[in-house]
Amino acid sequence: MSKTRRDFIKISSLSAAGIFAGAKYLQSAIPGNATKLGEIGNLNLNRTPTYCEVCFWKCAGWVHKNEDGTIKKITGNDDDPNCNGRLCPRGTGGIGMYYDEDRLKTPLMRVTGKDGKQTYREASWDEALDFIAKRMKEIKEKHGAECTALLTHGSGGHYFGSLIKAFGSGNVAAPSYAQCRGPREVAFLATFGEGLNSPEPTDIRDTRCLVLIGSHLGENMHNGQVQEMSDAIDKGATIITVDPRFSTVASKSKFWLPIKPATDIALLLSWMHEIINNGWYDKKYIEKYAYGFEELKDYIQPFTPEWAYGITTIKPDQIRETAREMANAAPAVIIHPGRHVTWYGDDTQRVRAMAILNALLGSWGRRGGFYIPDITSVPKYPHPHFPEPARDWRDAMGGKYKLADLALASGVCDATIPTPDLDCHIKAWIVNGTNLIMTLPDQRKTLDAINSLELMVVIDTMPAEITGYADVVLPECTYLERWDDLRILQGRFPTISLRMPAAQPKYNSKPGYWIAKELAKKMGLGEYFAWNTFEEKLDWELKQVNSSLEEMKKIGVKKLTREYDDIYFNDGEDIEFNTNTGKIELYSTALEEEGFDPMPRYTPHQEPPEGFYHLNYGRAPMHTFSRTTNNPNLADLMDENVVWVNPKVAKEWGLENGQEVYLENQDGIISDFKIKVRVTERIRFDSVYMIHGFGHTNKKLTRTYGKGASDSQLITRVLTDPIMGGTGMRGNFVTFRFEKESEAQS
Ligand SMILES: Nc1nc2c(c(=O)[nH]1)N[C@H]1C(S)=C(S)[C@@H](COP(=O)(O)OP(=O)(O)OC[C@H]3O[C@@H](n4cnc5c(=O)[nH]c(N)nc54)[C@H](O)[C@@H]3O)O[C@H]1N2
Ligand SMILES: Nc1nc2c(c(=O)[nH]1)N[C@H]1C(S)=C(S)[C@@H](COP(=O)(O)OP(=O)(O)OC[C@H]3O[C@@H](n4cnc5c(=O)[nH]c(N)nc54)[C@H](O)[C@@H]3O)O[C@H]1N2
Ligand code: SF4
Ligand SMILES: [Mo]
């Protein structure tokens, strides 16, 4: 008898609980096998396993070394389902992170006020960590331990997360939620009772129709997905791309729908209209699994393709034709949920509309649609229970964003700035691996928050902008020079993979786990990091899943067995979904309970004022956010961003290809640096487009300082999602300026 979905959920949450309930292992595990494990870390192998940290797809690979032990190249691990032996250009170029001579080299302590100017003196690790431990203690005595927060992205989050939780704070937030995929998780939870996580369980390999709504796969280089998409294209799958810009994947698509920005919900509703009224939906599937079909059917009646045409500028016959194309492929069809979905503030509802379309076409749990991932876990090295924090960032929010299932980085920011209407309390931030100045929208607000702090510690590998505001800067060594926690990944089958150092840390940099443990010892929390060496911790954990450090050093990636047998639903199988009704909710009772629209509604968004254009941004295949622009290998491939301008607009402004302009936004913010114009038909006349991550203002990033413009600086209008607090960033408009006032006067 196959397990029900409910069983599956129970199993997953049980094993997830296992991660935290480490105390039960406490007696049995600690002594013993610690003895000679330190010696396992001999670095004389000419190929060592790693997983990539250039982006968060986390491909597993091998680091190859020269005879003198220096790092030669990085290649993919053939056994890794995320990369199938092939890294993307960024993964190969990860080596540049190690060789970058601008790296942070030693701990730094602030000398003058918080001015972003990076006036520091060098300090020893001992002095820097003593200072932090003392300050944290003072903050605990004065305000309570819960008045501290960790903002983090990447592997270090494990260690600094444990540290801050052990200290007594529950505020651990990553920008990959409220600035990225949060609305999507909430929308899928509301519909199917499950979020998507990473890697998304999209069964692209076997799909017959892939609909990409602003997902620019191919420029968004999430490796496994891009590989599967090109395989699917080879096998004849149809790609439908909805994007105001002719993206790389639009050029591979059967249909490119150059939608007017911010109108996607109207298109999605009219697709539902076509699919329901023509009887193209999966009747058996909907009858058995869905809740609220009749309500949805009544609701979508006004949303004809003609209605949507007036809003989206997509012609009715194209809407009909693409709806038919999806229905013909069903259930092997994927309306891709996207990843960076914080666009216009109605993002949870837009992704809900995508989830509903997938449900109507019966693609959830079906081959070529969404497979059922196995969310497995590996028991963690034992540690005592974390204390219960007295309060968290949410308590400052006045009851808002109850449906957020993870902490909001922007919420931590809000809970730090004292205002009359918010009960704010956060006084110290530990910032690990996130360049908040470039990452959070509305830089003024981020700076307000930072200025309200009594302590800010930044752990980074590079002198990123955020380090300029820290009281103490701690240099982490790169992922190529350290051990890290195992990569434990969901997928068609679950895998674990190992990262071990391929070289000694350069300069006076240290691994994140070491920094957290040393700090914990100074803060009296050493028992939470009870292992002697990190190798001992890893080996203990690996032995819980019948592997060992020795084995993993040889193979790098190991497949674990699935806890839940089936990767797809069986025909007619009884399934209980983890929603209030136990069904797939076309009509969301959870949203209704919280006072939100139970079915997605289209609301018009503000249009650009005269002479202004939507500020649209995205990814370049050779860069990740703002973290790679100084990387020597990757800067070689692209060393500045350009602004895409439609020929019609270029003509109006007299702009030429290669001409340098400033961009000014609707709030009068002018880009710090000029950016080159690229005149191209590939962008609509109402928008401009640029790659995120350029326009660095820190001179210590010698290769990238002043190159191109920063979209982050120009994103001052934030459209917050009322459902879960995601920060919509695409409601900003820019115009062109040829000089700044300061230049005009001189
Ligand atoms: N304007 C704008 N804002 C955005 C986005 C956008 O497209 N435009 N995208 C959003 C999305 S989708 C996301 S997921 C977030 C991503 O946001 P972040 O992850 O904050 O991205 P980065 O700006 O690259 O900051 C990463 C920082 O980590 C440092 N770093 C790199 N490797 C290591 C390491 O091994 N250890 C440590 N300690 N530090 C390391 C880098 O030097 C850099 O300072 O940004 C969001 N914000
Ligand atoms: N090379 C590379 N790959 C990456 C990353 C990276 O930094 N570099 N980061 C990774 C991460 S963390 C994320 S979250 C993803 C982000 O990548 P995705 O989730 O794929 O995409 P977005 O950044 O949301 O969207 C960018 C696309 O949306 C289009 N767009 C803009 N406005 C609209 C609109 O109103 N409607 C529609 N339909 N389209 C619109 C833009 O023209 C652009 O093509 O990429 C991942 N992959
Ligand atoms: S997709 Fe590229 S950058 Fe991201 S983890 Fe994989 S190889 Fe590294
Ligand atoms: Mo993201």
Side-chain angles (χ1 to χ4, degrees), residues 176 180 339-340 619 625:
S176 48
C180 179
R339 181 127 170 169
H340 172 60
R619 310 278 181 242
F625 320 123

Side-chain angles (χ1 to χ4, degrees), residues 56 153 175-177 179-181 222 339-341 619 625:
F56 298 99
H153 203 185
S176 48
Y177 188 75
Q179 286 65 51
C180 179
R181 63 184 175 83
H222 274 173
R339 181 127 170 169
H340 172 60
V341 292
R619 310 278 181 242
F625 320 123

Side-chain angles (χ1 to χ4, degrees), residues 15-217:
S15 42
I19 298 177
F20 303 108
K24 77 175 182 214
Y25 302 106
L26 199 58
Q27 268 81 38
S28 61
I30 289 186
N33 54 4
T35 36
K36 295 215 176 79
L37 280 166
E39 291 167 24
I40 294 177
N42 100 60
L43 300 180
N44 295 329
L45 309 171
N46 61 8
R47 181 179 97 159
T48 49
T50 191
Y51 58 89
C52 183
E53 181 108 357
V54 187
C55 90
F56 298 99
W57 197 251
K58 302 183 191 159
C59 299
W62 298 106
V63 188
H64 305 260
K65 281 168 284 180
N66 296 308
E67 296 221 319
D68 63 358
T70 54
I71 298 177
K72 187 169 156 195
K73 64 173 181 180
I74 314 167
T75 57
N77 185 321
D78 291 337
D79 298 327
D80 181 32
N82 268 17
C83 79
N84 306 303
R86 282 169 286 161
L87 300 182
C88 86
R90 298 168 296 154
T92 312
I95 200 168
M97 282 169 99
Y98 169 72
Y99 284 112
D100 195 332
E101 64 289 356
D102 289 341
R103 278 172 58 171
L104 292 170
K105 299 186 173 73
T106 196
L108 300 171
M109 294 182 59
R110 167 170 304 289
V111 178
T112 60
K114 266 186 223 172
D115 49 9
K117 288 205 182 116
Q118 318 246 5
T119 32
Y120 293 109
R121 68 177 172 81
E122 296 187 352
S124 67
W125 277 99
D126 215 30
E127 185 190 4
L129 298 181
D130 273 339
F131 175 87
I132 299 167
K134 185 162 164 272
R135 272 289 185 85
M136 290 288 276
K137 215 189 251 167
E138 286 163 8
I139 288 170
K140 187 173 192 167
E141 277 158 19
K142 215 158 100 194
H143 309 287
E146 68 279 8
C147 296
T148 57
L150 170 68
L151 293 144
T152 181
H153 203 185
S155 11
H158 296 258
Y159 327 118
F160 297 105
S162 295
L163 177 70
I164 202 142
K165 285 185 211 154
F167 185 61
S169 167
N171 301 310
V172 178
S176 48
Y177 188 75
Q179 286 65 51
C180 179
R181 63 184 175 83
R184 173 187 97 172
E185 300 304 307
V186 174
F188 271 70
L189 272 164
T191 314
F192 297 105
E194 272 174 72
L196 294 167
N197 301 312
S198 182
E200 296 83 3
T202 44
D203 204 16
I204 298 179
R205 185 177 72 184
D206 288 323
T207 199
R208 293 175 53 212
C209 178
L210 176 63
V211 185
L212 298 171
I213 302 175
S215 295
H216 55 333
L217 286 181

